[in-house]
Amino acid sequence: MLSRRAQAQVRVLVPRAVVGSSSSVKLLFGGLRGYHDESFGYRPPPKYAFPDYTQKQLSNRHHNATLLRYVDSMRTHGHRAARIDPLDLIHRDEVAALDPTRYGLTERGKRYDVDGILWTKRVGDGEGEELWTLEEIERHLRGVYVGKIGYEYMHSPSKTERLWFSHLLESQTLPSPADKPLLVVDEEKKRRIHELLAKSEVLDHFLQAKFPNLKRYGLEGGESMLPALDTLFSSAAQGGIQHIILAMPHRGRLNLLTDLLQYSPTVLFHKIRGGSEWPEELGAEGDVLSHIVSSPTLQYEGAENPLKVSLLPNPSHLEAANPVALGKTRAKQFSLLKTSPQDCQLGDKVMCVQLHGDASFTGQGVVMESLGLSNLPHFTSGGSVHLVVDNNIGYTTPASGARSSAYCSDVGKAINAPVLHVNGDHPEDVARAMDIAFRYRNYFRKDIIVDLLVYRRWGHNELDLPGITSPLMYEKIAARKSVPELYEHKLLSENIVTQEDISIVRSTYKSHLESQLSNVPTYTPPPSEAPMLQDQWSGIVWPKSAEAAQTVEVDTGVEKDVLKRVGEASVWAPDGFEIHSKLGRHVKNRLSSLEKERGVDWATAEALAFGSLMLEGYDVRISGQDVGRGTFSHRHAMLVDQKTERVVVPLNEVLGAEGKLELANSSLSEFAVLGFEYGASWERPTLLPIWEAQFGDFFNGAQVIIDTYISSSETKWLKQSGIVLQLPHGLDGAGPEHSSSRVERMLQLTNDRYAEQEADPTNINMHVVFPTTPAQYFHLLRRQMKRGYRKPLVIVGPKGLLRLAPSLSALADLEPGTRFQPVLQDPLANPSKTKRIVLLTGKFYYELIKEREARNLVDEVSFVRIEELAPFPFSHLREILERYGDALNDVEVCWVQEEPRNQGAWGHVKERIEGVLEDAGVDVRRNWLGFKGRKESAIPAPGIGKIYAKQQRAVIESAFEGL
């Protein structure tokens, strides 16, 4: 029975959320400001208490200060001497800091009071003098810190975390008696470890024998990855986790899939022999062997609930999956944020696990961007466990040429993540490290890194010759027994298994693989295995289906009274809430446009789209840098009290909608943040996820996500996504990096058809649009949710149109019976008098109509805006051209754009426009003038004002040339 004082000490270890006051600005450790935006989606970070030193312990620490210095040096530097490298190739100097004589401690038999210096008991289990000899102290510390696991945690600025680690490692007890005991690697666990190691080696040998020319990226040398993950899954399941989102690169993927994640070897062998992993009727083109996935439900002893593990598909950009996994993990907990009390913490039921290679973990910037999201409001998902399968070599580059730091895990110190280095030759220590890693993550809800030091037996792949560049390393590897063999020898010496047991495990699994291989000739993927049509996606249709075709032209209009109700709610502020003085005009203009039912600007149209969707039960999340206010100070979807910095999101406060709006002002990241939002789109088809670039050009930093996920996931992996990319675009004299969203790149990434008879708007991989009115923008946002299927949407612009009077819309343009129009006819066109039809897209239209009026050519020149560039609107454009009747044969047609000829939409539209003209009976050789605009350029726009003005004037004049 614990004493009353001990019970009090234990009680304060229970996690408790602390919500800071929003009425004052607080400076936290390192000069960080206290977070003031507690709007929907924010959960205060958990704050944990750990019993501080008693006065008696503090006195003892003062009295035995030299001993304290020595003990802390063991905690800080022990990892430098730990036996963590299976090949013993890491160069290590003698660690002088571990020698007690350097601190004046020379009498090995002298007894010291260790109370408050060395942790030997559970917190609260008594106090008082506890005498140990120096020899006992050194032996104990070396047993903890200089073994097969090296610990790095003393860099943490948190005293609580440092105390938690030192107490746990030195006393081998957890703070509270209510905690599950630390992992004990008993006989049953040892047999489980052996089974996983042996099956991994059998699979690799089997694949080598049956498919000798296959690049399988096997696990040989790193087999301990499997018991590491098995232990983590078991600890997580027992700790209440019900779902794990798992991201990993290619190495060991096949071993993990078949040996732990229940992937059918028959399906694997079918894929190796060139078969498709998907049902043929779904039209997927698939991906390479090392990117396939599985999402099994696993049962672990001692867990109240089964554990669902979702391995995500990944591209060959090794670390690009990390932010996608983070976004999916957070989105899976979205309903908790809507319905649960404030003491519900992210990560209670769902956990993100990320596997890495050592070279990519250090070398790829998305790792640092993703780590930077780990503890941010509106991005944290409750802490990730990172497992680095550390080969000490990347492709053929040794560690000395792959990183500037001692360890590949050192990048994690930027967020003060603790690191556990563990020798992969010792799978029992690996299991212990993973159990500790989960406990830290679950206790503090922060990221932790396990650096699993292993080796690659066959180099980068099985066809490689690594000895060419690393002869000494591979001489050592060739001379050593495999990890499974070493462990079998250990178990034999402990009488845990017999040689017969070992043979049975290996032969049974090999026979199973042989049987599975024999099934391949008759195997075809059943339709039931198609993803993204099950669970939360069961209400969404497949884009190639007949049901999808029926929702292409869906009505997205909203009743007038609903629009007005949403609009008024969007600028509400509570009594006593002081908004910025300059926002008065913003509020007044919005209310005035609603009252007059005209003059609806872009920000108002967006708010009306968000609010109307929320009333229909959809959630909206928009992220990017300063999205709450808007880069161009136009949105103001969140309001900040000028005296207290309290934040309100009006649409969440007074609309009374089932749906919620989450405004995620992000870090200065494009790659990770866009990947995060894309991951969220995979998880929740009822969420409208929007990523807004500060300027369209800045998506360059996220190009990998766009190329390998957004534009290709449906074709590769049958993954639908409703992600929206807002890319402000338009030449306005702002220079090379603030003018272009590189729309030409986006269009090049689409699989848009070149002819009308081949086109299928439901089967394009993503939509690219350049809307020119707020109403068009309103309908595009609503269309994303109202269609029966999901497609990525790239919105080019607006930027210069946000407050441009001629571009504003009437409220009637948003009401029932209205929808997005892929092509807009000139409202002033006079088909009987038109001499030239100018086809164009985007905001340039408003400069041209102004010039047309100045030249008094309203009747002679008609402007036709192509608002949806992909899928190209063949029928809509032809319908408008046919309005000109027989006069069309006497009309000149041209394409005008302000972007250089090698950029913009010209490369995409040219051939398609020519096809439409021919179908409409136009003599293309005589009537088609082709391109008018800037000449080819290496940059989107000049940075010299006079050059820009001269070029822009010439482009405007080219539209009227010869008239």
Side-chain angles (χ1 to χ4, degrees), residues 35-42 330 372-373 375-380 621-631 635-640 647-649 661-669 673 676-677 690-692 694:
Y35 190 66
H36 65 279
D37 175 7
E38 297 178 4
S39 60
F40 170 75
Y42 171 74
R330 182 179 171 90
L373 299 179
N375 297 322
L376 290 184
H378 302 284
F379 287 93
T380 182
R621 175 182 162 97
I622 179 167
S623 79
Q625 294 141 29
D626 202 15
V627 294
R629 185 199 71 168
T631 293
R635 178 173 290 119
H636 302 296
M638 57 178 275
L639 302 175
V640 181
V647 170
V648 297
V649 177
L661 170 61
E662 183 171 14
L663 298 166
N665 291 317
S666 76
S667 63
L668 195 64
S669 158
V673 172
F676 188 100
E677 303 310 323
I690 303 172
W691 176 71
E692 182 173 79
Q694 204 170 44

Side-chain angles (χ1 to χ4, degrees), residues 412-719:
K413 292 179 180 177
I415 61 167
N416 301 310
V419 181
L420 281 60
H421 307 277
V422 59
N423 191 323
D425 267 3
H426 299 271
E428 293 178 18
D429 291 283
V430 172
R432 293 187 184 97
M434 296 307 293
D435 182 59
I436 293 171
F438 171 73
R439 292 174 185 276
Y440 171 86
R441 177 268 175 196
N442 221 36
Y443 200 83
F444 294 101
R445 298 299 161 88
K446 293 183 177 180
D447 287 29
I448 185 170
I449 300 168
V450 177
D451 179 21
L452 176 62
L453 285 95
V454 296
Y455 59 89
R456 294 188 318 219
R457 183 167 289 277
W458 304 116
H460 180 65
N461 61 66
E462 291 69 30
L463 307 183
D464 195 10
L465 294 173
I468 294 175
T469 52
S470 298
L472 297 182
M473 172 185 279
Y474 278 88
E475 183 180 348
K476 277 199 167 189
I477 291 173
R480 72 195 324 276
K481 292 180 181 293
S482 70
V483 175
E485 288 174 325
L486 289 173
Y487 193 61
E488 286 169 349
H489 179 75
K490 179 180 185 296
L491 296 189
L492 285 170
S493 67
E494 296 176 355
N495 295 319
I496 300 296
V497 299
T498 64
Q499 194 64 56
E500 182 181 5
D501 294 332
I502 294 170
S503 298
I504 289 174
V505 170
R506 289 177 174 266
S507 61
T508 300
Y509 191 53
K510 183 178 180 183
S511 296
H512 173 66
L513 295 176
E514 291 281 8
S515 174
Q516 292 285 296
L517 182 60
S518 68
N519 295 333
V520 172
T522 59
Y523 173 79
T524 55
S528 61
E529 292 186 7
M532 299 301 276
L533 301 174
Q534 303 166 7
D535 299 326
Q536 69 268 39
W537 286 84
S538 59
I540 304 298
V541 301
W542 189 243
K544 287 188 67 176
S545 67
E547 296 92 334
Q550 296 172 6
T551 63
V552 172
E553 301 288 342
V554 62
D555 186 343
T556 49
V558 175
E559 295 291 344
K560 183 189 299 184
D561 61 336
V562 175
L563 294 173
K564 289 189 174 185
R565 172 188 166 195
V566 171
E568 292 168 0
S570 70
V571 289
W572 170 89
D575 293 339
F577 191 96
E578 185 176 320
I579 65 173
H580 194 280
S581 58
K582 291 191 176 181
L583 291 189
R585 179 182 296 181
H586 165 78
V587 174
K588 180 180 178 181
N589 288 346
R590 179 165 298 182
L591 295 176
S592 176
S593 67
L594 294 170
E595 182 181 356
K596 296 177 181 177
E597 300 183 7
R598 66 178 184 273
V600 174
D601 63 17
W602 292 79
T604 301
E606 180 184 79
L608 298 180
F610 289 173
S612 59
L613 286 171
M614 292 163 63
L615 287 170
E616 295 173 37
Y618 297 103
D619 297 304
V620 180
R621 175 182 162 97
I622 179 167
S623 79
Q625 294 141 29
D626 202 15
V627 294
R629 185 199 71 168
T631 293
F632 308 104
S633 194
H634 68 286
R635 178 173 290 119
H636 302 296
M638 57 178 275
L639 302 175
V640 181
D641 190 297
Q642 297 302 292
K643 290 185 177 179
T644 66
E645 286 200 353
R646 175 191 172 194
V647 170
V648 297
V649 177
L651 285 177
N652 287 334
E653 299 293 332
V654 294
L655 194 56
E658 180 183 343
K660 293 293 184 181
L661 170 61
E662 183 171 14
L663 298 166
N665 291 317
S666 76
S667 63
L668 195 64
S669 158
E670 285 80 37
F671 196 157
V673 172
L674 179 56
F676 188 100
E677 303 310 323
Y678 186 72
S681 76
W682 269 4
E683 176 61 30
R684 301 190 60 244
T686 57
L687 172 70
L688 175 62
I690 303 172
W691 176 71
E692 182 173 79
Q694 204 170 44
F695 287 88
D697 313 55
F698 297 173
F699 85 86
N700 285 334
Q703 187 74 58
V704 171
I705 294 294
I706 296 167
D707 289 355
T708 61
Y709 280 104
I710 294 175
S711 68
S712 57
S713 288
E714 185 180 311
T715 300
K716 291 189 294 190
W717 308 316
L718 301 180
K719 293 281 194 180

Side-chain angles (χ1 to χ4, degrees), residues 61-212:
R61 286 165 67 87
H62 174 74
H63 179 71
N64 288 306
T66 53
L67 177 64
L68 175 61
R69 288 179 59 209
Y70 169 60
V71 172
D72 275 350
S73 288
M74 289 292 292
R75 293 165 177 160
T76 303
H77 301 290
H79 64 90
R80 294 167 53 199
R83 300 181 296 279
I84 57 176
D85 181 12
L87 299 181
D88 198 27
L89 290 174
I90 299 178
H91 178 70
R92 291 175 179 269
D93 296 323
E94 182 180 352
V95 186
L98 306 185
D99 182 358
T101 63
R102 293 183 68 87
Y103 307 92
L105 302 171
T106 58
E107 301 179 49
R108 299 184 61 77
K110 181 178 179 179
R111 297 165 70 83
Y112 293 87
D113 183 2
V114 299
D115 186 33
I117 296 175
L118 186 70
W119 299 103
T120 61
K121 297 175 288 191
R122 185 188 298 279
V123 173
D125 281 1
E127 60 175 313
E129 187 177 64
E130 184 177 358
L131 300 178
W132 284 39
T133 67
L134 176 61
E135 183 176 4
E136 290 172 333
I137 293 169
E138 182 178 14
R139 185 186 313 117
H140 181 68
L141 289 173
R142 284 189 172 273
V144 172
Y145 294 109
V146 193
K148 303 301 190 301
I149 307 176
Y151 300 94
E152 287 191 275
Y153 65 87
M154 291 294 283
H155 58 275
S156 172
S158 167
K159 181 190 70 174
T160 296
E161 293 183 31
R162 296 194 306 272
L163 282 173
W164 185 88
F165 260 109
S166 57
H167 175 271
L168 175 71
L169 300 177
E170 293 162 23
S171 71
Q172 287 294 294
T173 58
L174 286 149
S176 169
D179 289 316
K180 289 185 179 296
L182 284 170
L183 176 70
V184 175
V185 185
D186 55 17
E187 182 174 331
E188 182 181 355
K189 179 65 175 175
K190 290 179 179 182
R191 288 180 177 274
R192 172 65 173 170
I193 290 173
H194 169 249
E195 178 188 10
L196 290 170
L197 295 177
K199 289 173 71 174
S200 179
E201 187 168 61
V202 168
L203 175 68
D204 279 326
H205 289 177
F206 186 85
L207 291 174
Q208 184 63 35
K210 301 297 183 180
F211 309 100

Side-chain angles (χ1 to χ4, degrees), residues 79 84-85 90 92 152 155 319 322 354-365 367-368 371 386-394 397-415 417-422 448-454:
H79 64 90
I84 57 176
D85 181 12
I90 299 178
R92 291 175 179 269
E152 287 191 275
H155 58 275
E319 303 288 343
N322 301 347
Q354 300 172 40
L355 272 67
H356 316 271
D358 52 313
S360 60
F361 193 61
T362 297
Q364 295 188 16
V367 173
M368 192 62 253
L371 289 172
H386 300 264
L387 177 62
V388 183
V389 182
D390 187 347
N391 308 297
N392 260 299
I393 193 170
T397 302
S400 57
R403 61 178 182 262
S404 297
S405 57
Y407 298 118
C408 66
S409 56
D410 284 345
V411 295
K413 292 179 180 177
I415 61 167
V419 181
L420 281 60
H421 307 277
V422 59
I448 185 170
I449 300 168
V450 177
D451 179 21
L452 176 62
L453 285 95
V454 296

